Amino acid sequence: MAPERLHSTWVHSDRPVPSYFVRPVQRFMANEAASGIFLFVAAVIAVIWANSELVDAYHHLWNSELIVEIGSFNLGLTLEEFVNDGLMVIFFFVVGLEIKRELVIGELRDPKAAVLPVVAALGGMLVPALIYVGIAGGGGPEVLRGWAVPVATDIAFSVAVLSLMRKRVPIAARIFLLALAIADDLGGILVIAIFYTQDLNVRYLIAVVVTILIIISASRVGIRSYVVYVPLAFALWFFFLESGIHATIAGVTLAFLTPAHPMYPAGQFKRRAETVVATYPAEVDTQQEREHLDHQVMALSQVSRESVAPLTRLEEILQPWVAFAIVPVFALANAGVEFQGSVIDALFSSLALGVALGLVFGKTIGITLASWISVKLRIAAMPTGTNWHQMIGVAAIAGIGFTVALFITALAFTDPVLANEAKAGVFFGSIVAGVLGSAILLTAKKPGTVSQDAP
């Protein structure tokens, strides 16, 4: 065997399993559109399942109860609640990490650069909500609770569609959509925390505050071990769950408590690494030398690990699990729209129309208008190399609202009929928004042709 082959890992070897299965899967998962494809497949399976002869099995599965008992402690959740109130905490934790990264070291750090996506996100939330209220608001207080369903942009789907249009969209416009979606997610989180909070339990709220203070104190004194923070994270989740504030806010809270900067600066890692490498012997003669060398390497390993910010490290670890496991499972549990009778009847209810038109027209008009006003008032600048035709296309694609829209649907409606109508609106509106945005971008001038005229 060739010398270089000896040093190659199993994943990069020529064996059948890594060659024909592992590496192709890795390449697929590295594609920007991959998570969107997973999400789409899960949603389609849920719809087919919910409208098949196995619909009772669908509901039986997600209504199955999971009970955790430890001594006198007892926690019972249905499988659907476990997904929505448990697994989705990890989703919102990763979203919170993305938001904090953008605020601390990313596109939203510079106030001037942040103005356009933030103002556009606000416009893209306000106009869809107004359209929903205008169309469905006469349906009564329970229907009105769904005003926030069309305000959210789905990052996975929107990025997947935009990645297919990459030759028609400048890089700056894609970055604008990502920043807008992150600002939009922050707005969605605030909406959930403020408008979909149940009766508050003061005792558990105090426990939430105490747990947060413990986490902050542990971070300040330099404790870095997950052994400490994982139990505290579970405790914070439970206290949020029992407090009346939706449990997913625990994920966002933990994300904002996660350090965005490494413990050790780059220079210290460089010096320590050079010292170890320079003194690393070709051979080890004695057990004492071996133990000394092991100590040096372990110390270097610790410095290497802590030379990466916890925020970055956790995001890298959790992102694939969220994109390819948690969010598809959420879609499977929540996207099961039952089209009882005519599909047309479900789609043309005032609630479904309010959601769909809010996503399609509300997002397009709100984002475009807010962006245009910001540019005309000179408080923001257009993304480099982008014209208004492309901006309108990006705004339309931002109307793809799926994950957070379905999540808010579950919070807003207890009536399964209303929930189904809202889900139908989310499906229809997201599909139309994706097609409309793609069509607009396909007819736009190629990147680099900039126009500052009104849209």
Side-chain angles (χ1 to χ4, degrees):
M1 185 177 290
E4 62 270 16
R5 184 71 56 82
L6 291 172
H7 299 287
S8 64
T9 64
W10 176 80
V11 172
H12 297 95
S13 69
D14 294 331
R15 295 175 181 177
V17 173
S19 295
Y20 297 106
F21 296 99
V22 177
R23 290 202 296 275
V25 169
Q26 287 179 330
R27 287 193 295 270
F28 171 75
M29 293 177 69
N31 190 297
E32 286 182 321
S35 59
I37 294 171
F38 262 66
L39 188 54
F40 176 76
V41 170
V44 170
I45 291 172
V47 172
I48 294 174
W49 191 355
N51 289 276
S52 71
E53 295 179 355
L54 299 175
V55 61
D56 290 338
Y58 178 83
H59 291 299
H60 179 74
L61 172 65
W62 299 113
N63 289 324
S64 302
E65 192 168 9
L66 302 175
I67 300 176
V68 178
E69 291 187 39
I70 304 175
S72 59
F73 173 80
N74 184 300
L75 177 63
L77 297 171
T78 65
L79 186 57
E80 184 178 3
E81 289 172 338
F82 173 75
V83 172
N84 292 352
D85 297 341
L87 292 182
M88 286 300 284
V89 174
I90 303 174
F91 166 80
F92 279 97
F93 176 65
V94 172
V95 169
L97 292 176
E98 292 175 347
I99 292 171
K100 181 170 183 178
R101 171 169 48 77
E102 292 299 318
L103 290 172
V104 175
I105 57 177
E107 289 295 316
L108 302 181
R109 178 186 59 177
D110 181 0
K112 291 183 179 179
V115 167
L116 188 62
V118 169
V119 171
L122 289 173
M125 296 178 71
L126 179 61
V127 177
L130 291 175
I131 288 177
Y132 177 90
V133 171
I135 294 174
E142 190 169 357
V143 173
L144 198 58
R145 277 180 56 82
W147 65 269
V149 173
V151 305
T153 294
D154 189 284
I155 294 180
F157 269 144
S158 59
V159 169
V161 172
L162 206 60
S163 68
L164 299 176
M165 301 283 111
R166 65 172 63 214
K167 292 184 179 180
R168 310 295 306 186
V169 184
I171 294 175
R174 298 204 293 271
I175 294 173
F176 165 75
L177 178 64
L178 284 173
L180 181 149
I182 289 170
D184 186 281
D185 277 343
L186 180 57
I189 289 163
L190 292 174
V191 166
I192 292 169
I194 296 170
F195 296 101
Y196 294 99
T197 291
Q198 303 170 0
D199 296 333
L200 297 178
N201 186 312
V202 176
R203 184 176 59 175
Y204 282 106
L205 280 177
I206 293 172
V208 164
V209 174
V210 170
T211 306
I212 290 173
L213 292 176
I214 292 172
I215 293 172
I216 293 173
S217 300
S219 179
R220 290 286 176 86
V221 299
I223 296 175
R224 313 288 281 190
S225 174
Y226 292 152
V227 174
V228 173
Y229 291 109
V230 170
L232 287 172
F234 274 109
L236 186 65
W237 167 78
F238 175 74
F239 295 145
F240 264 109
L241 182 69
E242 298 295 324
S243 71
I245 301 175
H246 199 272
T248 52
I249 304 302
V252 182
T253 304
L254 287 166
F256 276 81
L257 295 175
T258 302
H261 297 287
M263 176 181 286
Y264 299 117
Q268 185 166 347
F269 171 71
K270 184 174 184 293
R271 288 193 299 272
R272 189 74 67 92
E274 287 174 346
T275 300
V276 172
V277 171
T279 59
Y280 203 93
E283 295 182 2
V284 178
D285 297 325
T286 67
Q287 180 64 24
Q288 186 176 5
E289 289 179 347
R290 177 76 264 174
E291 290 177 357
H292 176 69
L293 190 62
D294 287 345
H295 176 75
Q296 282 187 300
V297 173
M298 288 175 66
L300 177 60
S301 173
Q302 193 271 339
V303 174
S304 174
R305 180 176 181 274
E306 293 300 343
S307 295
V308 178
L311 185 150
T312 303
R313 194 163 59 242
L314 287 168
E315 197 174 359
E316 287 289 325
I317 293 170
L318 294 175
Q319 183 63 47
W321 290 98
V322 168
F324 299 105
I326 292 174
V327 172
V329 168
F330 169 80
L332 195 61
N334 289 271
V337 185
E338 292 183 58
F339 293 108
Q340 298 173 350
S342 172
V343 175
I344 301 298
D345 291 341
L347 290 175
F348 280 86
S349 66
S350 61
L351 195 160
L353 278 175
V355 172
L357 296 179
L359 288 170
V360 177
F361 294 109
K363 283 289 186 182
T364 306
I365 295 171
I367 292 171
T368 304
L369 185 60
S371 300
W372 181 75
I373 292 173
S374 299
V375 171
K376 285 299 178 182
L377 293 179
R378 299 185 184 278
I379 61 175
M382 284 280 284
T384 305
T386 307
N387 57 55
W388 280 111
H389 197 149
Q390 292 161 340
M391 285 288 284
I392 295 172
V394 170
I397 285 177
I400 303 175
F402 194 80
T403 307
V404 179
L406 289 178
F407 189 81
I408 294 176
T409 296
L411 297 178
F413 302 114
T414 55
D415 185 338
V417 174
L418 297 180
N420 271 340
E421 290 178 357
K423 291 176 184 178
V426 171
F427 269 85
F428 184 68
S430 297
I431 292 170
V432 173
V435 172
L436 176 64
S438 299
I440 292 172
L441 290 174
L442 285 172
T443 59
K445 295 178 181 178
K446 291 184 178 180
T449 306
V450 182
S451 172
Q452 296 294 336
D453 297 334

